[in-house]
Amino acid sequence: MGDFFERVVDLEVTGEEAGTLAARMVDWMVAEGVITRETTGDAMYSLPVDVGHVPGPGWTRAVADDSDPSWFPGPVAVLVGRDHHVGGQGQHAADTATCPRCGVSTVVIDYPESFEADDEVWQPFMDGIEAWRKTGRGEVACSACEALVPVTEWEFGPGFDLGALAFDFWGWPPLSVRFLAEFRARLGHRTEGQSGKF
Ligand SMILES: [Zn+2]
């Protein structure tokens, strides 16, 4: 049913704990019948993960509206490991980055003048994110207050999040409020939702 996704990103789990938590979430969704242990690479684009879980017989329990009998959702991909996650379509940088110390926002993509990231502005964030991906630690100095702030504490614009665990629901009808609330409670961390198209 198309090449769009709804994503939940865990913003707080550590890279070390992400695998165990992912396995626990899969066990729960399998037990609920939302997904199966069978995997497929069809109709999903969650690189670098190339397969996702095939929906289970109880997949409708997870969605807000299951009234379209012809709708059968695609796989659910589980992305384990520190990474940046982007929503939208083909977005690669955050629109803005706001310093949690002084509250000053740095504009990365200067809409509507430009639809591309200002490389000079974005480069320190890319470097900090790359260091965090590799080691679990990465910082960017704020150009306004000069504080050295961990990349995970910067507030990025919508559709750009850092996390060590994410779930991509490919081609699913919108997930229900109830399912998402239980999903978040079971993660036990702050989360962010994204959606996008391949
Ligand atoms: Zn600052």
Side-chain angles (χ1 to χ4, degrees):
M1 283 302 291
D3 45 8
F4 60 94
F5 62 85
E6 182 168 347
R7 173 181 293 147
V8 179
V9 183
D10 185 319
L11 303 174
E12 293 181 323
V13 70
T14 65
E16 291 69 29
E17 293 163 340
T20 311
L21 183 55
R24 227 165 45 221
M25 294 299 285
V26 167
D27 287 347
W28 167 62
M29 285 192 283
V30 169
E32 293 283 310
V34 172
I35 58 171
T36 67
R37 297 209 179 272
E38 189 190 337
T39 56
T40 177
D42 290 344
M44 56 160 286
Y45 312 90
S46 297
L47 292 174
V49 174
D50 53 11
V51 293
H53 289 268
V54 173
W59 69 268
T60 55
R61 277 179 220 153
V63 304
D65 180 358
D66 63 355
S67 59
D68 180 352
S70 68
W71 195 324
F72 196 74
V76 177
V78 184
L79 291 81
V80 176
R82 287 185 296 269
D83 212 341
H84 71 277
H85 298 282
V86 291
Q89 187 169 18
Q91 187 186 343
H92 295 293
D95 304 348
T96 58
T98 303
C99 171
R101 306 283 190 269
C102 69
V104 171
S105 287
T106 301
V107 174
V108 180
I109 304 177
D110 191 12
Y111 300 116
E113 303 299 317
S114 171
F115 290 89
E116 304 263 318
D118 182 328
D119 288 338
E120 207 171 310
V121 172
W122 186 237
Q123 189 64 45
F125 291 97
M126 273 180 36
D127 294 343
I129 290 167
E130 192 51 31
W132 167 76
R133 270 164 47 98
K134 287 191 177 138
T135 69
R137 269 196 70 168
E139 283 128 357
V140 181
C142 174
S143 58
C145 73
E146 296 179 358
L148 203 54
V149 180
V151 280
T152 48
E153 293 179 29
W154 283 86
E155 290 163 37
F156 296 106
F160 191 95
D161 298 291
L162 303 181
L165 179 58
F167 299 84
D168 289 356
F169 292 78
W170 281 98
W172 285 55
L175 299 173
S176 72
V177 171
R178 195 186 60 80
F179 177 75
L180 283 171
E182 183 164 9
F183 198 93
R184 289 194 200 99
R186 284 177 179 272
L187 287 170
H189 298 127
R190 285 189 306 116
T191 63
E192 194 62 67
Q194 292 183 349
S195 60
K197 265 181 87 69
F198 173 67

